[in-house]
């Protein structure tokens, strides 16, 4: 990986305009290096993100002022992205589009390149084990990520008898955490706040 990064740094050093797309790469056991802008497996890692014009860039949730939240239906509607992918995932999973948009907003604010310190990736911040569990091979692919997240939400809703709050809590803290706390929202401040935020977004989005 260090060798790959060295090559990328060299390219960027010569001309920062060389890279016009996200660059993913990996090195195999023989030391051969593979670079692409369309990764086809989890062995590829995001090495260099393409430059995006500030006016068009979707800011990740972690980069926002935590005191600022979506407060109006008009703003929510303006911020919605990946409408077709969400519709397809909703139809195949049975999960409402409003809930999928609410989770995406809370998780990544539509930044498909979002990666958390814990390793969650993509629009719905799937962990690698969850992605594999629901057939997602490329967590940075919007369609695959949304589909995997929708299937996981469908599973959680069924597990917790269609209790939205418990399913959302499980999406954040893990299903075992909810079960271990007697099928109640775990008393973690992050999870409590997450459930409140997603439910608030969901209720507003259902009216749009």
């Amino acid at each position: 990986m260090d060798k790959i990064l060295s090559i990328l740094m060299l390219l960027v050093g010569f001309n920062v305009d060389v890279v016009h797309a996200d660059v993913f790469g990996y090195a195999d056991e023989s030391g051969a290096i593979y670079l692409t802008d369309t990764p086809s497996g989890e062995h590829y890692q995001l090495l260099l993100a393409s430059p995006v014009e500030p006016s068009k860039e979707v800011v990740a949730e972690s980069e926002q002022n935590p005191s600022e939240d979506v407060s109006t239906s008009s703003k929510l509607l303006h911020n919605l992205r990946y409408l077709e992918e969400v519709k397809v995932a909703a139809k195949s999973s049975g999960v409402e589009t409003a809930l999928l948009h609410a989770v995406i907003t809370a998780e990544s604010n539509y930044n498909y390149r979002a990666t958390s310190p814990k390793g969650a990736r993509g629009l719905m911040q799937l962990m690698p084990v969850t992605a594999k569990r629901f057939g997602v091979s490329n967590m940075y692919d919007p369609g695959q990520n949304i589909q995997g997240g929708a299937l996981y939400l469908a599973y959680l809703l069924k597990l917790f008898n269609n209790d939205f709050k418990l399913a959302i809590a499980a999406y954040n803290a893990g299903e075992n955490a909810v079960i271990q706390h007697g099928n109640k929202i775990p008393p973690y401040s992050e999870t409590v706040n997450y459930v409140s935020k997603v439910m608030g977004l969901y209720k507003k989005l259902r009216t749009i």
Side-chain angles (χ1 to χ4, degrees):
M1 189 56 65
D2 289 340
K3 188 175 180 181
I4 298 176
L5 289 174
S6 296
I7 292 175
L8 286 174
M9 290 294 288
L10 186 61
L11 285 172
V12 175
F14 279 123
N15 186 349
V16 294
D17 293 327
V18 167
V19 181
H20 295 283
D22 291 341
V23 178
F24 298 79
Y26 81 97
D28 63 18
E29 296 179 356
S30 67
I33 296 172
Y34 300 87
L35 300 175
T36 182
D37 61 349
T38 55
S40 58
E42 287 190 32
H43 49 286
Y44 280 98
Q45 296 187 36
L46 179 64
L47 303 176
L48 190 64
S50 62
V52 184
E53 294 180 19
S55 60
K56 297 180 180 180
E57 185 174 11
V58 178
V59 181
E61 180 72 11
S62 61
E63 297 174 359
Q64 296 185 47
N65 185 331
S67 65
E68 296 179 356
D69 199 359
V70 180
S71 58
T72 66
S73 295
S74 60
K75 186 174 181 180
L76 275 174
L77 183 61
H78 177 73
N79 286 344
L80 297 184
R81 302 287 188 276
Y82 302 105
L83 299 180
E84 188 59 35
E85 289 86 349
V86 169
K87 284 183 181 179
V88 170
K91 184 176 181 179
S92 63
S93 66
V95 178
E96 293 179 59
T97 57
L99 182 57
L100 293 179
H101 279 295
V103 171
I104 293 171
T105 300
E107 290 287 349
S108 68
N109 203 22
Y110 296 92
N111 179 359
Y112 78 95
R113 297 193 303 249
T115 302
S116 79
K118 294 181 180 179
R121 304 173 191 174
L123 291 168
M124 297 191 73
Q125 289 292 274
L126 299 178
M127 293 296 288
V129 65
T130 303
K132 184 176 182 180
R133 179 179 173 188
F134 292 98
V136 178
S137 60
N138 180 2
M139 288 182 281
Y140 292 114
D141 178 86
Q144 287 193 42
N145 192 284
I146 294 172
Q147 177 70 15
L151 291 175
Y152 185 37
L153 276 172
Y155 164 80
L156 293 173
L157 286 166
K158 183 177 181 180
L159 179 65
F160 295 110
N161 298 314
N162 212 41
D163 187 314
F164 275 43
K165 290 184 178 180
L166 292 185
I168 293 168
Y171 195 93
N172 175 261
E175 58 209 67
N176 290 332
V178 174
I179 294 171
Q180 289 169 4
H181 284 86
N183 280 355
K184 295 181 179 179
I185 298 174
Y188 313 144
S189 58
E190 176 188 332
T191 301
V192 172
N193 292 334
Y194 179 82
V195 172
S196 177
K197 180 171 186 176
V198 172
M199 285 302 298
L201 290 166
Y202 167 67
K203 289 176 182 178
K204 290 176 182 177
L205 283 163
R206 291 194 76 191
T207 67
I208 296 176

